[in-house]
Amino acid sequence: MIKWTHQDEAFTDIAKGIRVIADSMSNNKMKSLKPSYFDVPISRNRFFTGREDVLLQLHEILQSKNEIAITPGDKATALSGLGGVGKTQTVVEYAYRYQNEYSAVLWVFADGKELLRSNFSGLLEVLGLKAENIEDPIRAVQSWLCNNVNWLLIFDNAETLELLSAARDLLPITANGHVLFTTRAQATGNLASVTIDCFEDDIGASLLLRRSKIVSIDYVTEEEVREKVSEADWQTAIELVHELGGLALAIDQAGAYMEQTGCGLSGYLSRFRNNATEMLKKRGDFVHSSDHPEGVYKTFLLSLENAEKRHPLAGEILRDSALNYSDGISEILYSDCNPLELDKALAILKDYSLIRRIPEKQIFTVHRLLQTIIRDVCD
C-alpha cells in the first residue's frame, strides 16, 4: 500500500504523471479544447428548452476570473431550486455546451453522504489512476484537482445544506477549476448561487409541445413552435402549463403521457382537472429514470416527509398551506408559535425549496402542485 504523504516518492511520481494536461496550458486559457475526460452520465436532452439566462449567468460567474480559488467560494457555484424544476438537466446542458472550454468534465452524484464520498473516490477510475495502489482515494482525487487546471466538477443533487457542506468539504484547500452544485437549499453561505425558477407559461408551452411531439423537436424557440400550431392549441398549452405551475418535471411527464397515449392537449387538461393527483403519479414509459429518479408526486412527497422528520412544525405548516392561497400565506397565522421555532421550521422548508419566504411582507409561497399533493395525502 502507498502511504499517501507529500514526501513519498510514489506520490511525487503520480503527481508528475497527472500534470500532463496542466503543463500544456498557459495562464489557464484554452480555446476549443476537447476534454481529455468527459464523465457526464446523463445524455444531452434533445427536448431542452429555454434557460438561456440561467446558462449565461452560470457561465459568466464561473468565467469571471482566470484564477479560480475554490476555498473563498467565488468559483464554486450552486444552482438552487425546487425538486423537479430542472436543475440537473440545466447543468447537463451546461456541461455539453461548454465542454470544449474544459480539460476535464467530471460528475459526482451527491444524493447522500456515503454515495457522495463513494462517487468522489470513483473519479480515480475515470481519471485513469490505479485505485488498488492508493490507500486514500479521496486524497488522490484531491491531488489530481490540485495538479490540473481548467476542469469542471459537478456535484449533482446535494439536496440540503448539510449535503452541500459535505460536498464542499471534499474539495482541496486550493485548486484551479470550476465547481457546480445542484441543490434544493436556498441558503448557501459564502457560496455563490443562481436560482432556477419554474417556467413562464409561454416557454413551458414550447417545451410541452416539443416533448409531446405535437411539433417537431427541431423547432426550438417559442416563435418557431408557435408558428406550427393553431391558436387554440397554443392557448390550451399555455393553460395546461399554468395548471402545472410551470414545473419542468410535470411538463415533461405530461408531454410523455400525451406522446404515449395520443390523448392530446385538451384530453390531458381534462384528465388533470378531474384527477390531478393520479396524473401526477403517471410518469409514462418514455420518462427516463436517469433524468429524474421519481415522478412529481413522489418527489414532493419525499421532501415533505423529510422536512417533517426534521421538525414537526414544518409538516404542520405545509399541511396548513394546502388550505391557503399558494402565492401569499401569512406568517401571522403562526403568531402563537415561538418565533425561533417558527424560523427553524421555515428554514427547513427553505432547505428543500418547498417554500419561498418574503420577510418584508411576512408571507411565504408554496407551489400549487405541492398543495395538490398535500391535500391528497391528508384526505
Side-chain angles (χ1 to χ4, degrees):
M1 286 291 185
I2 294 175
K3 297 295 184 182
W4 200 262
T5 62
H6 287 289
Q7 289 76 30
D8 284 353
E9 183 177 350
F11 179 95
T12 304
D13 290 341
I14 293 174
K16 288 179 181 178
I18 60 181
R19 288 190 61 90
V20 172
I21 298 174
D23 292 339
S24 68
M25 294 184 288
S26 174
N27 298 324
N28 270 2
K29 294 181 180 179
M30 300 179 70
K31 296 182 179 180
S32 300
L33 174 75
K34 185 176 179 59
S36 298
Y37 309 101
F38 188 79
D39 179 45
V40 177
I42 301 173
S43 300
R44 194 171 191 175
N45 187 353
R46 295 186 65 198
F47 298 108
F48 188 84
T49 305
R51 306 303 193 196
E52 294 299 325
D53 55 336
V54 175
L55 291 167
L56 181 61
Q57 193 175 359
L58 288 173
H59 191 253
E60 287 179 345
I61 289 173
L62 292 174
Q63 297 288 349
S64 59
K65 293 180 182 178
N66 288 329
E67 289 298 322
I68 300 110
I70 288 171
T71 43
D74 59 346
K75 287 298 167 289
T77 303
L79 185 61
S80 172
L82 180 67
V85 79
K87 301 181 295 296
T88 295
Q89 287 299 323
T90 300
V91 296
V92 167
E93 177 64 22
Y94 184 92
Y96 280 95
R97 184 174 298 193
Y98 295 111
Q99 61 178 300
N100 289 340
E101 297 183 8
Y102 294 102
S103 62
V105 179
L106 308 172
W107 190 284
V108 173
F109 287 107
D111 302 66
K113 285 186 177 181
E114 290 186 9
L115 182 65
L116 170 63
R117 294 180 66 85
S118 173
N119 275 270
F120 189 82
S121 300
L123 291 177
L124 277 179
E125 184 177 349
V126 174
L127 297 169
L129 301 177
K130 294 182 179 180
E132 64 270 17
N133 297 326
I134 297 174
E135 186 174 273
D136 189 342
I138 288 179
R139 185 84 176 273
V141 174
Q142 291 171 339
S143 176
W144 189 95
L145 295 174
C146 287
N147 285 282
N148 288 269
V149 295
N150 224 59
W151 41 260
L152 171 64
L153 174 59
I154 296 169
F155 289 97
D156 185 39
N157 201 27
E159 186 179 68
T160 62
L161 182 58
E162 182 182 13
L163 279 173
L164 192 61
S165 298
R168 292 191 67 187
D169 288 344
L170 288 174
L171 296 171
I173 294 175
T174 58
N176 293 325
H178 293 173
V179 183
L180 266 177
F181 303 89
T182 67
T183 182
R184 297 182 191 181
Q186 295 174 27
T188 58
N190 70 340
L191 180 65
S193 63
V194 175
T195 300
I196 182 169
D197 292 318
C198 294
F199 284 113
E200 296 291 336
D201 290 348
D202 51 356
I203 301 297
S206 297
L207 171 59
L208 179 65
L209 290 163
R210 296 178 70 235
R211 181 64 188 86
S212 61
K213 296 185 180 176
I214 291 173
V215 302
S216 169
I217 60 176
D218 295 329
Y219 301 115
V220 178
T221 67
E222 175 195 340
E223 292 76 15
E224 290 174 328
V225 172
R226 190 166 185 175
E227 286 179 358
K228 301 301 176 181
V229 296
S230 67
E231 183 62 23
D233 278 351
W234 177 256
Q235 292 304 323
T236 303
I238 290 282
E239 196 171 352
L240 178 52
V241 168
H242 187 76
E243 294 269 349
L244 297 173
L247 188 72
L249 181 59
I251 295 169
D252 184 69
Q253 284 185 209
Y257 186 92
M258 282 187 277
E259 179 191 2
Q260 185 174 353
T261 65
C263 69
L265 292 164
S266 297
Y268 190 92
L269 182 58
S270 174
R271 289 161 176 74
F272 184 81
R273 285 174 171 170
N274 288 329
N275 196 340
T277 54
E278 188 63 27
M279 298 307 291
L280 291 174
K281 294 176 183 178
K282 294 184 179 298
R283 289 175 57 78
D285 295 337
F286 300 141
V287 178
H288 302 295
S289 60
S290 61
D291 298 342
H292 201 283
E294 306 293 351
V296 174
Y297 190 98
K298 196 165 184 180
T299 294
F300 280 169
L301 185 60
L302 287 172
S303 293
L304 169 62
E305 291 172 348
N306 289 335
E308 189 165 23
K309 286 177 184 176
R310 291 172 62 182
H311 201 304
L313 182 56
E316 182 182 334
I317 290 170
L318 282 182
R319 286 190 292 272
D320 291 345
S321 75
L323 305 175
N324 292 280
Y325 181 58
S326 64
D327 290 333
I329 301 166
S330 176
E331 294 181 18
I332 295 174
L333 294 171
Y334 303 95
S335 57
D336 292 339
C337 296
N338 181 315
L340 297 182
E341 289 301 306
L342 178 61
D343 281 342
K344 185 177 179 180
L346 293 176
I348 289 170
L349 295 175
K350 284 183 60 188
D351 206 23
Y352 293 97
S353 281
L354 291 172
I355 67 166
R356 182 162 296 176
R357 199 174 185 185
I358 307 174
E360 61 273 17
K361 296 183 179 180
Q362 286 192 297
I363 63 173
F364 60 91
T365 66
V366 298
H367 195 277
R368 65 176 62 201
L369 295 187
L370 176 59
Q371 288 184 308
T372 298
I373 292 166
I374 294 171
R375 285 193 291 268
D376 180 66
V377 172
C378 294
D379 282 347

